[in-house]
């Protein structure tokens, strides 16, 4: 643990000089992480040497140390161990140094080395491809810090529930791997929390098949919720749409966001749509529109209105989907509007 008390300490001149020698912007470090410059021991030249050995040029080394100056506080032995660890899933050093350049913070967080290694080996055994594991290392490094027993426990809970809900042995591995690659943060949950959430859905009269459907649609995010938040969200939707329990269930299966988003989020999105002149009946017909933020809704309605498309009298389907889906829909409406009416007897203009 490094001290962050900057009051009575002076910068380590040797560290500052070494960083200057590598063309590192020290003022940037002073502004963001000055405490690094105050430590008595730093391994500037050694860490830069390892990075160069891995294939980083001078500019890359300077960028890495500016973005993650705490790298110089680790010993060369620690960094070499981390290098060996990441090499378990990287094709070669070229790929490794590219990842370090993009995600220095993830690479230089070297806590729980043994846990990291055990988890990597377990993921490989499970059948996760190396490129997925590298994605986890860079974007979800915290999942590697838990003891591998906890990771195994969560996976076993998911497998057991998948089979109990009627999933087949043959598909289980594919289902687990897909769930993990969509949302690795599932592994930060406890087995009991996972169990509790699934039991809540079953008690709310979702059939086993429907619970499985929700799990896949929500990409595992359901495990980051609690029965209390899910109950509140469902009650809010039921009041807004004035529907029976069965109708509510159908709406949730159509749009799992009704289960996933908290009441304040749903409220804000609903109000945003109503402000644009959309009716509750239209939203009930196309609840997926609640997956969009009010800003996105506003932008899309504006674009469609410019084409003369009236959202109040039309369907909300054209608002839906990802950015790409919307652009495709928008393009279709636009070309329909711009397509000239063909007149077979009109003279043809031929320009030389």
């Amino acid at each position: 643990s490094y001290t962050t008390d900057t009051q009575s300490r002076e910068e380590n001149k040797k560290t500052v000089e070494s960083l200057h020698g590598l063309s590192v912007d020290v003022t940037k470090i002073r502004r963001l992480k000055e405490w690094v410059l105050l430590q008595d021991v730093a391994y500037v030249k050694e860490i830069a040497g390892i990075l160069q050995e891995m294939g980083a040029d001078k500019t890359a080394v300077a960028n890495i140390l500016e973005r993650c100056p705490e790298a110089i506080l680790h010993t060369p032995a620690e960094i070499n161990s981390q290098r060996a660890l990441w090499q378990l899933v990287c094709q070669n050093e070229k790929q490794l140094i590219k990842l370090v350049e993009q995600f220095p913070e993830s690479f230089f967080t070297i806590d729980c080395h043994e846990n990291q290694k055990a988890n990597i080996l377990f993921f490989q055994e499970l059948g996760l491809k190396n490129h997925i594991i590298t994605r986890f290392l860079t974007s979800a490094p915290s999942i590697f810090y838990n003891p591998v027993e906890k990771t195994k426990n969560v996976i076993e809970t998911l497998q057991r529930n998948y089979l109990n809900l009627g999933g087949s042995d043959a598909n289980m591995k594919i289902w687990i791997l897909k769930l993990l690659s969509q949302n690795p943060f599932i592994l930060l949950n406890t087995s009991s929390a996972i169990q509790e959430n699934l039991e809540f859905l079953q008690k709310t009269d979702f059939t086993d098949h429907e619970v499985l459907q929700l799990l896949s649609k929500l990409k595992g995010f359901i495990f980051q919720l609690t029965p209390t938040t899910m109950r509140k969200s469902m009650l809010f939707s039921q009041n807004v749409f004035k529907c029976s329990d069965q109708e509510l269930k159908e709406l949730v299966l159509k749009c799992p966001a009704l289960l996933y988003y908290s009441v304040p989020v749903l409220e804000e999105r609903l109000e945003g749509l109503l402000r644009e002149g959309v009716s509750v009946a239209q939203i009930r017909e196309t609840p997926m529109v609640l997956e969009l933020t009010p800003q996105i809704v506003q932008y899309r309605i504006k674009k469609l209105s410019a084409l003369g498309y009236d959202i109040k009298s039309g369907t909300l389907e054209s608002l839906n989907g990802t950015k790409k889906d919307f652009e495709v829909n928008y393009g279709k409406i636009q070309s329909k509007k711009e397509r000239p009416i063909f007149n077979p007897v009109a003279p043809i203009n031929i320009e030389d």
Side-chain angles (χ1 to χ4, degrees):
S1 61
Y2 308 108
T3 176
T4 52
D5 172 23
T6 59
Q7 294 305 307
S8 56
R9 315 257 333 255
E10 282 185 8
E11 285 183 0
N12 183 326
K13 285 198 180 92
K14 192 181 167 196
T15 301
V16 173
E17 281 166 21
S18 301
L19 288 168
H20 276 309
L22 291 165
S23 305
V24 173
D25 185 348
V26 178
T27 44
K28 197 184 270 186
I29 297 176
R30 275 195 192 106
R31 198 170 65 247
L32 300 172
K33 293 181 179 175
E34 193 195 15
W35 59 272
V36 171
L37 303 174
L38 308 179
Q39 307 307 317
D40 297 330
V41 180
Y43 303 92
V44 183
K45 288 176 181 167
E46 293 87 340
I47 303 309
I50 293 172
L51 291 170
Q52 284 166 337
E53 212 178 279
M54 286 161 70
D57 60 22
K58 281 185 175 180
T59 312
V61 170
N63 284 340
I64 291 168
L65 297 184
E66 277 168 24
R67 278 184 61 191
C68 186
E70 56 270 42
I72 61 173
L73 304 178
H74 295 299
T75 66
E78 285 172 328
I79 299 306
N80 278 322
S81 295
Q82 189 75 338
R83 178 182 175 180
L85 190 70
W86 281 45
Q87 277 172 329
L88 292 172
V89 287
C90 287
Q91 295 164 349
N92 47 40
E93 290 242 296
K94 192 179 174 185
Q95 190 203 1
L96 174 55
I97 195 61
K98 198 175 168 188
L99 287 174
V100 177
E101 283 178 50
Q102 286 175 296
F103 307 96
E105 292 87 354
S106 298
F107 181 77
F108 289 108
T109 303
I110 58 172
D111 304 340
C112 320
H113 191 85
E114 287 312 308
N115 287 354
Q116 284 193 60
K117 187 173 182 179
N119 278 302
I120 286 175
L121 296 174
F122 172 64
F123 290 144
Q124 287 176 326
E125 268 170 47
L126 201 61
L128 274 172
K129 297 270 187 288
N130 281 343
H131 72 273
I132 301 282
I133 303 175
T134 55
R135 184 155 60 76
F136 290 178
L137 279 169
T138 53
S139 60
S142 51
I143 68 168
F144 293 89
Y145 305 152
N146 283 326
V148 74
E149 288 69 34
K150 183 186 183 299
T151 308
K152 285 180 178 173
N153 217 332
V154 171
I155 297 292
E156 279 161 16
T157 303
L158 290 169
Q159 289 171 328
R160 188 174 60 251
N161 278 292
Y162 179 76
L163 294 174
N164 289 345
L165 291 166
S168 70
D169 254 324
N171 291 333
M172 183 172 68
K173 186 179 175 183
I174 295 164
W175 182 78
I176 288 281
L177 296 181
K178 191 176 178 185
L179 204 59
L180 282 179
S181 55
Q182 286 173 330
N183 179 17
F185 295 104
I186 294 171
L187 297 170
L188 298 179
N189 294 291
T190 62
S191 304
S192 55
I194 290 173
Q195 198 69 48
E196 215 175 61
N197 282 0
L198 294 176
E199 280 168 13
F200 166 78
L201 291 173
Q202 286 171 304
K203 282 176 196 159
T204 319
D205 287 335
F206 285 98
T207 65
D208 288 353
H209 176 69
E210 287 168 343
V211 173
L212 260 189
Q213 218 180 313
L214 279 173
L215 287 186
S216 302
K217 279 189 176 178
L218 278 167
K219 302 177 180 176
F221 288 109
I222 197 164
F223 301 127
Q224 282 154 247
L225 307 172
T226 67
T228 310
T229 57
M230 288 191 276
R231 193 178 291 110
K232 282 179 182 170
S233 295
M234 285 175 77
L235 197 60
F236 172 78
S237 299
Q238 192 162 24
N239 289 335
V240 166
F241 298 122
K242 298 185 174 34
C243 55
S244 67
D245 290 353
Q246 181 55 34
E247 287 168 331
L248 176 68
K249 225 175 71 165
E250 283 162 20
L251 281 174
V252 168
L253 286 168
K254 208 172 174 185
C255 175
L258 294 177
L259 195 66
Y260 176 66
Y261 289 121
S262 66
V263 171
V265 170
L266 289 171
E267 220 161 14
E268 185 200 15
R269 294 186 176 193
L270 192 79
E271 280 167 13
L273 283 158
L274 297 176
R275 265 198 309 272
E276 295 295 330
V278 172
S279 69
V280 171
Q282 281 177 296
I283 300 168
R284 182 174 167 169
E285 197 58 42
T286 315
M288 293 78 76
V289 79
L290 290 167
E291 291 172 3
L292 307 170
T293 65
Q295 292 79 2
I296 292 173
V297 165
Q298 215 175 9
Y299 165 76
R300 291 184 181 183
I301 288 177
K302 207 172 174 182
K303 276 196 87 169
L304 290 169
S305 298
L307 293 180
Y309 185 90
D310 183 11
I311 205 75
K312 294 170 201 172
S313 55
T315 166
L316 299 185
E317 285 293 340
S318 43
L319 282 182
N320 263 347
T322 61
K323 187 181 177 186
K324 196 178 173 186
D325 297 334
F326 173 72
E327 292 303 337
V328 169
N329 280 334
Y330 177 77
K332 282 178 187 168
I333 294 168
Q334 194 176 32
S335 60
K336 214 174 188 178
K337 187 175 181 288
E338 289 170 358
R339 197 176 295 135
I341 296 164
F342 177 61
N343 180 351
V345 293
I348 296 168
N349 291 327
I350 300 168
E351 290 179 13
D352 292 331

